[in-house]
Amino acid sequence: MKTYKNLYSEIYNKKDLILAWRKARKGKTKKDYVIKFEKNFRENILKLHEELKNKTYFPKPLKTFILRDPKTRKISKSIFRDRIVHHSIINIIEPIFEKIFIHDSCANRIGKGTLFALKRLDLFKRKVSFNGTKKVYCLKADIKHYFQEVNHEVLISILQRKIEDEKLMNLIRKILINRKVEEGVGMPLGNLTSQFFANVYLNELDYFIKPKLKAKYYIRYVDDFVILHKSKEQLEIWKKEIDEFLKEKLKIELHPDKSRIIGLSRGIDFVGFRNFYYFRLLRKRNIKNFINKIDEFKRNEISKEKLIESFQGWNAYAKWANSFKLRRDIIKTAKLIYNPDL
């Protein structure tokens, strides 16, 4: 296996830091913390460069807040200067690992995403069911408390198979331990590095399921994955083997309540939709969330402009389901002026 050395100097290279800054500020140029950083841009970039070069850089404490959309999650984010460092690291190491990621790992990758996952699922449904003529079963699973349980030692050992640069590995360790929870485990939801490392970590699972188990119709989106097969018994065997692999090799486990085998006719809950043989539906909570937006508007808690902005984003997402009538009814309910063709 090819390994990579002498990467650390690329992390603190001034040109690379400026590229990382541009990526970190994208879509956030009006944020106070970005404006503040850019008031003394040259000084702040040079300081970051010197700290990294001299190995005196340490990340600042994370800022934590609670997000309830739709379930309650604790989000911890780094301050802007640290996000620049994260982008610089990912700019250098992402191309290395991208080469070994499987095709059907769909989250946080260029050219992939929710729509890609849905299209792959549609293709797999047709193939396994012989265009809807055969019964199909699905192992629908996710990892229990995934981001909180990622084991640092395991992650570092996986990264070191490709990266032979102790300076860079020490920088990654600093980022991993910058979290006031149980020592040696967990990554903060909200950091770019966490999203990337999540894929690196579960790439081990991808290789176990695809080449080892030879499960042909497998798709993963972060820690949420599906396997389609005509045999329920085969999926039962694979489920047990997968859980054993996760516990033994990655120190994590399947979520007992969210990992089960169901018939495709009942609908697979995956990447925000309930997926059936011939159609897909929006999750009820997704519809409810936008109905709540309409209620907020009726109570004068948000403006008409804000409601329309929210609808445009929701509508673009909802279009991927069989939802024409639903979207038309919502336009009428909210009294929105919008393209009647949706």
Side-chain angles (χ1 to χ4, degrees), residues 148-165:
Q148 297 100 302
E149 298 295 334
V150 166
N151 184 285
H152 293 179
E153 283 188 21
V154 174
L155 175 59
I156 291 295
S157 69
I158 294 169
L159 290 168
Q160 285 178 325
R161 290 182 210 153
K162 300 294 291 181
I163 300 173
E164 286 192 56
D165 187 328

Side-chain angles (χ1 to χ4, degrees), residues 10 12 38 48 101 160-161 240 247 273 301 317:
E10 296 182 48
Y12 65 76
E38 292 174 359
L48 210 48
F101 288 161
Q160 285 178 325
R161 290 182 210 153
K240 183 179 178 182
K247 289 174 181 176
F273 299 87
E301 294 175 8
Y317 176 80

Side-chain angles (χ1 to χ4, degrees), residues 300-311:
N300 295 318
E301 294 175 8
I302 60 173
S303 66
K304 185 70 172 270
E305 290 74 22
K306 184 68 176 177
L307 179 63
I308 291 173
E309 181 183 331
S310 295
F311 174 76

Side-chain angles (χ1 to χ4, degrees), residues 37 44 47-48 51 57-60 78-86:
F37 184 91
N44 287 329
K47 185 178 180 183
L48 210 48
E51 287 180 16
Y57 166 83
F58 284 92
K60 303 294 183 183
S78 296
I79 67 168
F80 185 65
R81 77 187 293 268
D82 292 334
R83 285 184 235 168
I84 294 173
V85 176
H86 297 175

